[in-house]
Amino acid sequence: MIISTGTASGKSLAYLAPAVAACLDGGTVLYLTPTKALAADQFRSVRELRITQVRAACFDGDTPFEERTWVRQHANYVLTNPDMLHRSVLPRHAQWSSFFRRLRLVVVDECHGYRGVFGSHVAQILRRLRRVSARYGTHPVFFLASATASEPGLFGRRLTGLDMSEVTEDASPRGSTTIALWEPPLTDLRGEGGAPVRRTATAEAADLLADLVLADVRTLAFVRSRRGAETVALSARAKLADVALTLSATPHPPPATPSNAPTSPPTPPAAPLPHATTIPGAGTASPAPGAASSATPVPGADTANTPTADPGATRTAPNPSEPPASRPTTTEARATLSTTAPATSVTPQDGTDAASPAAPPASTADLSVAPPTSPVPGAGTANTPTADPGATRTARNPSNPTGSRPSAVEAPGAGGSRAGDALGEAEPYTEPEWVELPNKVAAYRAGYLAEDRRLLEKALRAGTLMGLATTNALELGVDVSGLDAVLIAGWPGTRASLWQQAGRAGRDGQDALAVLIARDDPLDTYLVHHPQALFGQPVEAIVLDPSNPYVLGPHLCAAAAEIPLTDDDLLIFGDTAGEVLDGLVTDGLLRKRPAGWFWTRRERATDLADIRGGGGAPIQVVESSTGRLLGSVDEPSAHTTVHTGAVYLHQGETFLVEQLDLEEGVALVAAAEPDYTTFARDVTEISVLASLRSRPLGSGSLHFGEVEVTRQVVSYLKRRLQSGEVLGDEPLDLPPRTLRTRAVWWTLPATEVAALAAEGLDLGGAAHAAEHASIGLLPLFATCDRWDIGGVSTELHADTGLLTVFVYDGHEGGAGFAERGYARARDWLTATREAIASCECDRGCPSCIQSPKCGNGNDPLDKQGALRLLATLLAPH
């Protein structure tokens, strides 16, 4: 069965109750999760039950080898992940025989994370699990759980191969969540082709994270990459260190406020949120901490990105010597410590605009001040109406049990009279909390040591950490109750991930804030100008293809190595298993005998399937001066992430790649502190192998089929870290890679092309621009990331003889993304045209038609030509 209800709706209890019952009845339970963090969190929850008959244990890469024997022999509630199930548990099933003979329940938590190629691998692993369990006489119940699965019953059947009951009604209570769509402004800098450069999403996220931490708002910032998470944390810590340094210049130590000291009047509430969106079931929303105000309607608002709001403005601290009478209010003081906020896109659920009174440009100080009627949830007395959340906290006075904070004029650095002096009372000095401000922010990502990850999770729950910049490692189900706000730096790829990440805040039922910060990307641009594409829309269907021969083949070999395959087993693995088995026998990977198919090689069959990567031995990242092993990168990603000259981040340390040796499988790096980041660029050639489906599309035609892609990384772009300014394009000499995959492509007939050429249209630049934008928008219609797909455009393709634009899956054998594009081509290409048209630039920029990975240097590109080309393609015919 599958249960698909919202975040914090009680799904854990739904499977925990039958799981504990199974253990008490002498059975065993296997719990599967995509991440180690979630397994550790669930392990903690089970241990807190203190039921001695439930012997829970984590079994993953962090489990010490001396403990693994105990887990196999004695644990009856095993928490693991698909990787360990694939590489350790199933191949050594004989060592787990006692566990498998009593297996009653398999819990597949956060199952929506199993999509694309990774999901296809997991689907085959679960089929192997069913087969091994049957060998020991058990047929466990599979219990799937997800907060954001579309068509959950259908997805569950594809993932497990079993009939599936579904539970989708959600009656759980929850607070309201205010969603803000935030588009960074264009700067005065210029990039390729003179295109304007928008301030980066990571720079905006770092500013907002620092401001929210200053306001005692517990915040999680989701960043797309490991490097980005490290960058956001480092930048936020640096900003907080600057604030702490400024406050430390106060002439006298700040005393604690006596209990009988007069208090200042409450800070006026921030301007009301004009376009508030309340999540269903939340009742009436009150403005959440971090809610920004805007005087401009959201969709298509040209003024939303005027350069009058400069988020890069230098932060200035209050002047201690300034007379109290001329000192700004606390809200104004916070504004001087904050960036100036661009106009915020905050949108109602139905996508309509709400009228708002004219208001001055909001600063991020407005993001930090909760109205007196709506204290910041979970922040204690620091956010009561009489306490200003922007003021810096001082140590508690033992004689003041309420812990009230000093009034606005008493805050460190704010000047004014000191209440203690006025009353003639001397308070003992205690180290102020602002000294520890930088230590309230950290980064969290995969690649850290297990004990470091657990300490970070514990510190966030305890409130020792107020801000955490993380990858999607904390997206799934981890109990981080008490969060007030979530920042999402860049579209996370799917609506499912967006609501998962937004759902991390407000998990104790309190109101919360989620801010989606747009990147310089066509899809992000489209979403902030078309919020109706987000709100009131179902989450995407989860795309996976277990029958992909490049996925199925390695798992058939692994299954044969576990237990020789028979004809009866083919029903478990699907209709295409027989054909794939014949190919494996021909290739010498399996041997066919009367009793079935056997694995006869000495190598481990499980090594054939790299379930999270793209195949090939990983590249080891080594520090050249010390020989220290920093980490590893999967081989296909090495060309783009650890090429010579690349910037590589590891646990807050920055390195430059000195040399990438593909033959030895090593990337040598050296410590450095460059002020730029790097993006690899490639050139691609494509040939059509077979057209599987075709249909008319406007005046052109649409195709889906098999293609062969030859891709070569030729250079890398250097961009300044904070501004995104292009510093240079350095050449690379790397071997080409060949990929056999599936693609969707469209063509225009010669008559239409001739008419467009007669208008003086740059056909090559128009097709190139349309290709870039369509790649950027496909993730809205297929459950994928922009980096999971690629594209090629040409004015005259050798195989079609026509103007052709291709978009292909970046995984061997295909991953289903292009097929989804073919199914929803008109909606997809219509959105592509609207994304280009809604961008306020004149000739094209990274927000609409430029691509950071274009090997041709984003040349030629023709924005107006792309609009004309797409209009011709989509016109009724």
Side-chain angles (χ1 to χ4, degrees), residues 743-780:
V744 56
W745 65 94
W746 53 266
T747 62
L748 277 180
T751 53
E752 295 286 352
V753 172
L756 294 172
E759 298 177 12
L761 201 68
D762 179 1
L763 294 173
H768 195 194
E771 172 219 328
H772 282 178
S774 60
I775 290 172
L777 266 291
L778 183 56
L780 188 62

Side-chain angles (χ1 to χ4, degrees), residues 274-298:
H275 306 302
T277 299
T278 303
I279 300 303
T284 303
S286 59
S293 61
S294 170
T296 310
V298 181

Side-chain angles (χ1 to χ4, degrees), residues 11-21 42 45-46 49 77 105 107:
K11 292 186 296 297
S12 297
L13 180 61
Y15 61 71
L16 195 56
V20 169
Q42 289 297 316
S45 299
V46 174
L49 296 176
Y77 193 116
L105 182 66
V107 178

Side-chain angles (χ1 to χ4, degrees), residues 117 545 548-551 579 614 684-692 704-711 736-743 745 788 807-816 818:
V117 174
D545 182 15
N548 181 338
Y550 295 93
V551 171
E579 181 181 347
T684 307
E685 295 181 358
I686 192 166
S687 59
V688 177
L689 301 179
S691 178
L692 303 178
F704 169 74
E706 296 181 355
V707 296
E708 185 174 82
V709 180
T710 302
R711 177 172 170 243
R737 299 178 59 86
T738 301
L739 177 71
R740 194 179 177 115
T741 185
R742 296 189 171 189
W745 65 94
D788 288 327
V807 176
Y808 62 87
D809 293 346
H811 298 271
E812 195 75 32

Side-chain angles (χ1 to χ4, degrees), residues 80 192 199 384 506 587 769 772 788:
T80 188
E192 291 183 316
R199 193 162 190 261
T384 56
D587 294 340
H772 282 178
D788 288 327

Side-chain angles (χ1 to χ4, degrees), residues 409-429:
V409 295
E410 296 161 355
S417 62
R418 294 163 58 186
D421 293 343
L423 295 172
E425 298 179 5
E427 294 290 346
Y429 175 70

Side-chain angles (χ1 to χ4, degrees), residues 558-583:
E562 291 155 7
I563 306 168
L565 286 164
T566 65
D567 290 330
D568 293 338
D569 294 328
L570 301 188
L571 297 175
I572 295 178
F573 292 100
D575 298 336
T576 62
E579 181 181 347
V580 174
L581 278 172
D582 293 340

Side-chain angles (χ1 to χ4, degrees), residues 267-268 326-335 388 408:
T267 304
S326 63
R327 189 58 51 81
T329 65
T330 306
T331 301
E332 292 166 346
R334 284 280 297 117
D388 178 68

